[in-house]
Amino acid sequence: MSAKRNGVATVILTSFLVVANLIVANLWMTQVKLRWDLTEDKRFEIASGTENIVKRLRDTVNIKCYVSGNFPKQLSHCPRILIEKLDEYGRLNEESEGAVVYTFADPDTDPEAKQECEDMGIGPGRIQELEGSTTMKTKISWFALVFRYGDRKVVYNFFSDMPGETLKDPARFGSDLEFVLSRAIRNVSSPRKTVGLLSEVQMVPSNPSNPRSKRVKYQGLSNLEAVIARTHDVKTLDLAQVNRGEPIPSGMDIVVLWRPKSLTEVGKYVIDQFLMGGGNLLCMVDSGDVSFTPKPKFTQYGRARVQDYDLPDYKVEGIDHGLDDMLAYYGVRVEHAFVQDFSCYDMIYYTGKDFVRNMFGQVQVKPNEDYAPYFSWPVIPARDDEGGLEDSHQLGDSFSILSPNDDLVLTWASPVTVLEDNLTRHEAIADVILRTGPRSWVKPIKETRFPVNPAEQAGPGKAAMASQPVAVLVRGRFQSFFRGKEMPKPTGTAGKPLPTKDELEKSRRDVASVRGALLVVGDADFCSDQFITPNMRGALVQIEMGRARRKGSAGGMNREALIGRLRTPLFFVSNCVDVLAYGEEAEDLFQLQHRTFRSRRIKALEKDDPLKDRIQLVNMVYLPGAVILLGLLVAAFRHLRCRREIAVAPTHDRRVAQ
Amino acid sequence: MSRILCIWKKELVSYFTSATGYAFLFLFLLLTSFLFFVLPSVDLKSGFRGNFFLQGEATLTDYFATFPVALGLFVPILCIRLWPEEYKTGTVEVLMTLPVRASDVVIGKFLAMVTIVATALGLSLVVPWTVGWVAVDGLDSGPIIGGYVGALLLGGAYCAVAMFATAFTKEQVTGLLVALVICFFLTFAGTAAVDLVTPDWLSERLKFIGFSVRFSSIEKGVLDFRDLFFFLSFTAMFAFLNVSVLEYRRLK
């Protein structure tokens, strides 16, 4: 009896010891940071782009993390992931002359830290949290980083900066953290550039007689300005003033010349001298003004079939922007033609009206819409169909200037030709950084009609189609377009006094002081608010929403797709500015950006696509069905074998078996 | 070793000569595919995210996310005939009189269950293959390898827990309920939904033992030594406890 009791006690004690040991071992293991990243692009390891950014540091980057100790539950994992990531950055310090060091402060308990936050304009986030099981309470939490490098400072508040990318999906918090940190380190360690947005766009009241009416932002560049302002200081410049002879303010590193319509000689001189002074120029040119001519043909009852009426038409009037000769002198030419591409975006058009009853039984008129491929809106894919980034769209064969996931839609883009003979004068090299697909061709603007009806958009034969360059980067030591020419005289005296001709002549340069860069894009309006404004008025937004309605997809997905589409033109232009600002150093961040935001896609499948049905059938019917069939076969086989054994067995055995 | 193999073979044959093994495979494949291809996945923050076709991303993350629930549900069902039936029919007494150790019996039965789970996972490889038909750039093999390694460890842990839970009782239904409760607790412990209603002091502890939380980092394609050690030690611990229960019963 005693031996049995001893045995039981031994079993219980051993079990207890084993359990205790394993718990202790697991707790101890939390200190071990050993992991293997199996992903193809090693997205959970520090990227080589980050390594390069840290290696280039010449001084210490101090990161102060303002994090509430009592963090909301749904985000409680975020500070832990942040610490792990910052530790990984710290490990790169050995390879760098500089270093990345970090400290933590809790503004909830440390009044000094709270005061620092308030001084720097860092606000807390307000997160709804469940208290008990029924009541919600708002928790005020701090989560911000301040990067200091020398006397420079970059503030990143997770709750307010780019919330769509960082805290939108807390479960994926770590996925873009490296991009956020590396970008901030790059920005704080590189001098912040000043970008001038030079355009004729002005925010005018929608009703001039009523200055109180809302300002029209519809055709402006507010989205573009906001995106560039994330990394650079942006100043808005008035092209009308430049056209009269006002010089570009000193200290401007990059000028984005957006959609000039009639540049004067003196305006060209001002831009030319900006280049000669070592500035970089992003020139976005539209070669035509497009106007819409709808052709509705409603039948007697307001409803018509598609074939009953014409599709809308676009009339184009050429723009004489006045840049042709100057750009040609620098080695590029924006053709007075539009690229047509079979790989294109759909144009929305209205086919009549439907009378429908709403949920309250009231009759409502609903516009009936349809879509047709519009060859004048080429789509430049981020990736080709075979997979992988398409080489032709990459800059320097190493990074893509496009958004990593979403295709870029250009609207009435003109081809940009490289004039090799003119490049030699500037010891310049030219890189085509953006091309349309191989099934594109060129249609001169003088044809004036660019209809939506695919039957009227006849293209040439396959042999005449070729990929068209739409953006070219020229880097060299430019010589002045006005070299040996008489300087144009400033015109107009309205507003503030303009410099005299003599004053301009004094500062005149015929050869650029340093090597500069000129990036010419044969399209401008694709990044304007008119096309991408998220307030549901932009053309591309309307089309996306219409498509989503037609497909009947889930709301969340549509919104994501929409935001992706909206971001693409801005990504592209912002990356163009970065290329001009940081040169080849921009590559590191682009590589990181691609790794962070790129996700693998599936082919676009229609609602009743047979491939979709086949996949569902294989996985949900054939495979489980095969298991059941196998089970039945085994059962039948066993039953037969059993019967056969009974049949051959002696009679008394058979009785027993039965 | 041969004794373990004998028990493993006997258990495996008994699974596949009855409907249990096939039912497990059928239900596992059907449920995981249905959840992935038809039902929209739910995210606490962004709400319904659509099913695989609507999301448009060539990733199996949501497919692997169904594994903890599917395995937590079906592994206990697979287990109910392991000990309760042995107790009820008295075969456990015969088994214990044979020249085998309790640990041999437990390991043999455990390996048989893991084999069935591995078969189910092997058959489910059809899913990545078919998803590959529509993937523009192909599938990233890393998360798939990670997902299946994690699923095997997860399945093993569930098997050990369910075996242990059913080893206490002769009643199949009682055994099933106990195993289900424990498995579901481990599945949902530390997940975002549970975390919202958990007191702060308990939250981190639940995340530490939560199977879904541990599995989610493996399925992304990162094999973290801490997670691997957790699953292996958890499995070993419950297998050992199962042996202890048998020893205890024998001594009692």
Side-chain angles (χ1 to χ4, degrees):
Chain A
M1 189 68 189
S2 172
K4 199 181 248 184
R5 198 176 290 166
N6 280 347
V8 170
T10 311
V11 166
I12 292 171
L13 191 67
T14 319
S15 306
F16 178 75
L17 283 175
V18 167
V19 170
N21 275 327
L22 284 172
I23 290 171
V24 170
N26 265 293
L27 290 173
W28 182 72
M29 276 293 162
T30 53
Q31 309 299 320
V32 179
K33 283 170 187 167
L34 184 63
R35 61 181 192 176
W36 299 272
D37 185 354
L38 303 176
T39 56
E40 280 173 12
D41 52 358
K42 302 288 170 209
R43 61 175 53 200
F44 299 103
E45 286 178 5
I46 289 282
S48 60
T50 297
E51 285 177 13
N52 291 339
I53 288 169
V54 176
K55 271 181 201 168
R56 272 198 295 271
L57 294 174
R58 295 283 167 266
D59 201 351
T60 303
V61 175
N62 285 293
I63 306 173
K64 191 158 186 181
C65 314
Y66 295 93
V67 185
S68 292
N70 188 15
F71 219 59
K73 261 183 215 156
Q74 61 265 46
L75 303 174
S76 60
H77 60 290
C78 299
R80 185 171 41 83
I81 293 173
L82 176 67
I83 293 171
E84 283 181 7
K85 193 56 91 180
L86 287 172
D87 282 339
E88 288 181 41
Y89 275 73
R91 271 179 232 132
L92 301 173
N93 288 345
E94 292 163 14
E95 300 166 35
S96 169
E97 202 178 302
V100 177
V101 292
Y102 69 91
T103 50
F104 270 80
D106 181 0
D108 286 336
T109 54
D110 182 356
E112 204 177 309
K114 191 176 180 183
Q115 187 60 45
E116 282 172 15
C117 283
E118 283 168 3
D119 292 347
M120 286 182 285
I122 299 170
R126 286 170 172 76
I127 309 289
Q128 291 281 320
E129 198 180 47
L130 201 62
E131 195 180 40
S133 56
T134 49
T135 49
M136 296 292 283
K137 68 168 182 185
T138 305
K139 202 168 198 172
I140 294 177
S141 303
W142 303 81
F143 196 22
L145 305 174
V146 177
F147 299 77
R148 284 195 176 83
Y149 183 84
D151 58 347
R152 282 199 289 272
K153 186 175 73 182
V154 165
V155 177
Y156 188 87
N157 188 350
F158 284 98
F159 287 120
S160 58
D161 290 336
M162 302 167 76
E165 288 170 35
T166 306
L167 288 180
K168 181 182 66 181
D169 186 356
R172 295 185 179 180
F173 171 75
S175 63
D176 63 350
L177 186 61
E178 191 181 339
F179 177 69
V180 167
L181 294 173
S182 296
R183 186 179 52 185
I185 292 171
R186 199 277 311 266
N187 289 349
V188 78
S189 60
S190 310
R192 202 171 162 86
K193 306 280 181 178
T194 311
V195 180
L197 212 49
L198 180 59
S199 71
E200 289 174 3
V201 172
Q202 286 182 330
M203 299 296 181
V204 291
S206 54
N207 179 3
S209 61
N210 178 12
R212 282 188 175 183
S213 67
K214 272 191 175 176
R215 289 160 74 86
V216 179
K217 289 188 176 175
Y218 181 47
Q219 301 224 338
L221 294 172
S222 55
N223 286 287
L224 182 62
E225 194 181 330
V227 167
I228 298 174
R230 284 178 187 170
T231 41
H232 306 285
D233 296 325
V234 182
K235 284 185 180 164
T236 311
L237 306 174
D238 187 358
L239 190 54
Q241 293 288 332
V242 169
N243 266 336
R244 286 200 285 268
E246 185 175 305
I248 286 164
S250 59
M252 202 67 71
D253 299 297
I254 299 145
V255 163
V256 180
L257 175 59
W258 190 82
R259 210 170 190 264
K261 275 189 151 179
S262 52
L263 210 58
T264 60
E265 281 299 301
V266 72
K268 275 154 64 176
Y269 177 80
V270 170
I271 291 165
D272 175 84
Q273 287 304 299
F274 169 72
L275 267 177
M276 295 308 111
N280 296 318
L281 181 67
L282 169 60
C283 194
M284 302 176 72
V285 180
D286 265 344
S287 296
D289 249 341
V290 183
S291 56
F292 176 57
T293 49
K295 292 181 178 176
K297 265 192 203 169
F298 294 111
T299 59
Q300 188 181 358
Y301 299 106
R303 185 192 167 112
R305 290 169 299 169
V306 176
Q307 61 267 33
D308 285 342
Y309 50 109
D310 298 334
L311 279 83
D313 216 343
Y314 283 91
K315 289 266 191 290
V316 178
E317 204 175 305
I319 294 176
D320 183 17
H321 42 69
L323 272 170
D324 287 342
D325 49 356
M326 191 164 90
L327 290 181
Y329 181 81
Y330 295 139
V332 281
R333 183 173 59 224
V334 181
E335 306 291 347
H336 287 265
F338 284 150
V339 175
Q340 308 286 294
D341 195 342
F342 272 133
S343 166
C344 62
Y345 215 64
D346 287 350
M347 172 67 77
I348 190 170
Y349 62 93
Y350 294 93
T351 58
K353 292 174 190 171
D354 269 344
F355 293 95
V356 292
R357 281 188 189 277
N358 65 13
M359 60 188 291
F360 306 107
Q362 298 159 332
V363 176
Q364 283 186 332
V365 180
K366 189 182 155 201
N368 203 354
E369 59 203 28
D370 216 327
Y371 303 83
Y374 187 46
F375 301 157
S376 298
W377 283 12
V379 171
I380 299 177
R383 284 166 284 174
D384 58 5
D385 286 337
E386 281 72 41
L389 294 161
E390 199 168 1
D391 290 341
S392 57
H393 301 130
Q394 294 183 13
L395 179 62
D397 293 331
S398 55
F399 63 81
S400 168
I401 200 162
L402 291 180
S403 163
N405 276 329
D406 298 294
D407 306 335
L408 175 67
V409 183
L410 295 175
T411 52
W412 299 288
S414 302
V416 182
T417 313
V418 178
L419 306 170
E420 294 287 349
D421 293 343
N422 295 358
L423 290 174
T424 50
R425 171 188 302 140
H426 311 285
E427 301 162 13
I429 49 165
D431 289 312
V432 173
I433 62 164
L434 198 67
R435 288 178 182 279
T436 56
R439 293 191 305 162
S440 30
W441 68 99
V442 169
K443 186 174 171 183
I445 287 176
K446 63 184 177 197
E447 288 187 24
T448 70
R449 275 194 72 224
F450 286 82
V452 175
N453 190 346
E456 291 186 76
Q457 302 181 58
K462 207 172 177 181
M465 290 183 184
S467 176
Q468 304 294 330
V470 281
V472 172
L473 174 68
V474 182
R475 282 172 287 194
R477 194 166 182 198
F478 296 106
Q479 291 187 16
S480 172
F481 173 62
F482 290 91
R483 188 177 193 175
K485 293 181 191 169
E486 196 186 339
M487 206 207 82
K489 193 181 168 189
T491 56
T493 52
K496 59 183 177 183
L498 293 167
T500 61
K501 188 178 173 182
D502 291 341
E503 281 172 351
L504 285 177
E505 190 76 55
K506 261 186 215 166
S507 57
R508 177 175 174 158
R509 278 195 184 131
D510 283 344
V511 179
S513 51
V514 289
R515 280 177 74 81
L518 165 68
L519 206 162
V520 181
V521 182
D523 195 7
D525 50 10
F526 72 107
C527 62
S528 71
D529 297 347
Q530 183 181 3
F531 284 91
I532 56 168
T533 188
N535 65 1
M536 302 304 159
R537 291 172 71 192
L540 295 184
V541 180
Q542 281 188 11
I543 290 171
E544 282 299 325
M545 292 307 286
R547 272 185 172 175
R549 275 201 300 276
R550 270 160 62 95
K551 278 189 176 175
S553 343
M557 198 280 295
N558 298 338
R559 184 156 174 75
E560 291 302 310
L562 194 66
I563 290 166
R565 292 278 185 202
L566 292 177
R567 215 160 47 174
T568 314
L570 302 178
F571 247 123
F572 171 66
V573 181
S574 165
N575 286 350
C576 286
V577 172
D578 276 359
V579 166
L580 296 175
Y582 301 113
E584 292 181 359
E585 283 182 23
E587 184 182 333
D588 296 326
L589 216 54
F590 289 178
Q591 181 232 348
L592 199 54
Q593 173 180 292
H594 261 266
R595 198 183 72 155
T596 306
F597 296 109
R598 185 181 171 202
S599 60
R600 290 165 190 254
R601 282 212 214 139
I602 62 168
K603 290 173 192 161
L605 298 172
E606 289 302 319
K607 212 171 181 178
D608 306 318
D609 200 302
L611 188 58
K612 188 175 158 184
D613 294 341
R614 209 184 312 151
I615 290 172
Q616 287 184 332
L617 272 176
V618 167
N619 288 296
M620 289 164 54
V621 179
Y622 296 159
L623 188 62
V627 170
I628 291 295
L629 198 65
L630 182 72
L632 290 173
L633 281 174
V634 169
F637 176 74
R638 289 188 68 235
H639 183 68
L640 279 176
R641 200 174 68 176
C642 193
R643 280 176 69 99
R644 206 180 306 135
E645 279 170 5
I646 291 168
V648 295
T651 318
H652 69 275
D653 286 353
R654 212 179 303 164
R655 280 198 204 116
V656 170
Q658 278 169 347
Chain B
M1 191 65 190
S2 61
R3 286 173 297 202
I4 294 173
L5 280 178
C6 263
I7 292 164
W8 171 75
K9 198 174 166 187
K10 174 233 162 199
E11 286 297 328
L12 211 58
V13 168
S14 70
Y15 271 123
F16 285 109
T17 48
S18 68
T20 320
Y22 300 103
F24 171 77
L25 295 178
F26 172 78
L27 290 172
F28 177 80
L29 294 170
L30 189 69
L31 182 79
T32 51
S33 298
F34 179 76
L35 289 174
F36 181 55
F37 288 113
V38 180
L39 280 195
S41 62
V42 184
D43 194 289
L44 276 184
K45 189 79 182 173
S46 50
F48 285 94
R49 288 197 289 133
N51 59 28
F52 166 73
F53 295 108
L54 286 176
Q55 286 188 42
E57 281 189 20
T59 166
L60 292 175
T61 309
D62 284 343
Y63 180 61
F64 289 127
T66 63
F67 281 15
V69 177
L71 289 172
L73 181 67
F74 296 134
V75 166
I77 296 171
L78 203 62
C79 261
I80 48 170
R81 56 174 301 286
L82 277 182
W83 296 121
E85 203 173 274
E86 298 263 19
Y87 292 147
K88 209 166 193 177
T89 54
T91 48
V92 72
E93 311 296 339
V94 181
L95 206 60
M96 288 303 161
T97 54
L98 293 173
V100 288
R101 285 174 295 186
S103 57
D104 294 340
V105 178
V106 170
I107 294 171
K109 282 176 181 284
F110 170 76
L111 287 180
M113 281 184 67
V114 170
T115 308
I116 295 173
V117 171
T119 310
L121 295 175
L123 288 171
S124 74
L125 280 169
V126 174
V127 173
W129 177 57
T130 49
V131 165
W133 296 349
V134 288
V136 175
D137 296 342
L139 288 169
D140 189 346
S141 56
I144 297 175
I145 295 169
Y148 277 102
V149 169
L152 200 58
L153 292 172
L154 183 75
Y158 276 129
C159 289
V161 172
M163 271 176 74
F164 169 73
T166 52
F168 282 104
T169 174
K170 286 179 183 173
E171 296 299 321
Q172 288 193 342
V173 177
T174 315
L176 173 67
L177 285 176
V178 171
L180 272 177
V181 167
I182 297 176
C183 286
F184 267 73
F185 168 74
L186 291 168
T187 303
F188 293 109
T191 54
V194 173
D195 202 31
L196 287 176
V197 289
T198 312
D200 289 347
W201 62 270
L202 192 60
S203 183
E204 284 302 314
R205 287 167 181 82
L206 286 184
K207 277 180 192 160
F208 188 76
I209 57 163
F211 278 13
S212 296
V213 179
R214 295 275 183 177
F215 180 64
S216 67
S217 71
I218 301 179
E219 63 160 321
K220 281 191 294 189
V222 183
L223 290 184
D224 195 316
F225 186 71
R226 290 170 288 189
D227 296 329
L228 300 182
F229 184 81
F230 169 80
F231 278 121
L232 289 173
S233 61
F234 204 91
T235 307
M237 185 173 83
F238 275 93
F240 182 83
L241 289 176
N242 204 338
V243 174
S244 299
V245 171
L246 284 191
E247 292 285 357
Y248 179 78
R249 289 184 82 103
R250 182 152 62 178
L251 288 168
K252 218 175 163 190

